[in-house]
Amino acid sequence: MFCTKCGEKFQEEGLKFCQSCGTKTEAGLVDLGQLKSFYDSGMYSNIGEKIKTIAKVLAIIFTVLSIILGIVMIIIGAVMNSNAGRGNPGAGMIWLGIGYMFLGPLFSWIYSFFMYGFGELIVRTTETAINTAKKQ
């Protein structure tokens, strides 16, 4: 194989640049269509957006579940108190239920930040790879 600019014969096959003048060779060219089809095909196509969607859905699901669990714990604590002759044996359960109702949604919201951020990172990295391939 020879360089299209200076005519130098390549010592190795598959070089990306001519060793003599530095001209980009055909082996060094990136097929942008092939790169886009790689990112847009199969199960992992648009994976960053999928991760961001899952982050939102999981935040909602865990918020609802923690509120429901908190209500159930408060009810159990109240039943324990009503069945007890003296004292408040269910007071701990009631406070735990209140904690779940307030801290559960907060923690699921914070967790979703990290998962959403990871999806955004994948989206931006893919865009950077495609834009870099366009410039070559």
Side-chain angles (χ1 to χ4, degrees), residues 38-52:
F38 172 75
Y39 286 119
D40 294 337
S41 66
M43 181 170 79
Y44 299 108
S45 66
N46 207 6
I47 191 71
E49 293 298 328
K50 290 177 183 176
I51 290 173
K52 288 169 30 175

Side-chain angles (χ1 to χ4, degrees), residues 78-136:
V79 169
M80 288 172 64
N81 283 342
S82 68
N83 291 338
R86 278 191 261 180
N88 295 324
M93 186 70 80
I94 292 172
W95 283 110
L96 194 60
I98 292 171
Y100 266 99
M101 287 179 64
F102 289 105
L103 295 178
L106 177 67
F107 288 140
S108 68
W109 182 54
I110 291 170
Y111 168 74
S112 71
F113 286 164
F114 293 104
M115 196 167 172
Y116 189 91
F118 182 67
E120 187 70 16
L121 179 67
I122 291 173
V123 168
R124 298 296 176 212
T125 303
T126 304
E127 288 174 359
T128 302
I130 290 172
N131 290 335
T132 303
K134 285 181 185 176
K135 293 179 182 179
Q136 288 184 355

Side-chain angles (χ1 to χ4, degrees), residues 49-68:
E49 293 298 328
K50 290 177 183 176
I51 290 173
K52 288 169 30 175
T53 302
I54 289 173
K56 294 175 192 175
V57 169
L58 287 179
I60 292 168
I61 289 172
F62 288 143
T63 297
V64 170
L65 286 178
S66 64
I67 291 172
I68 290 171

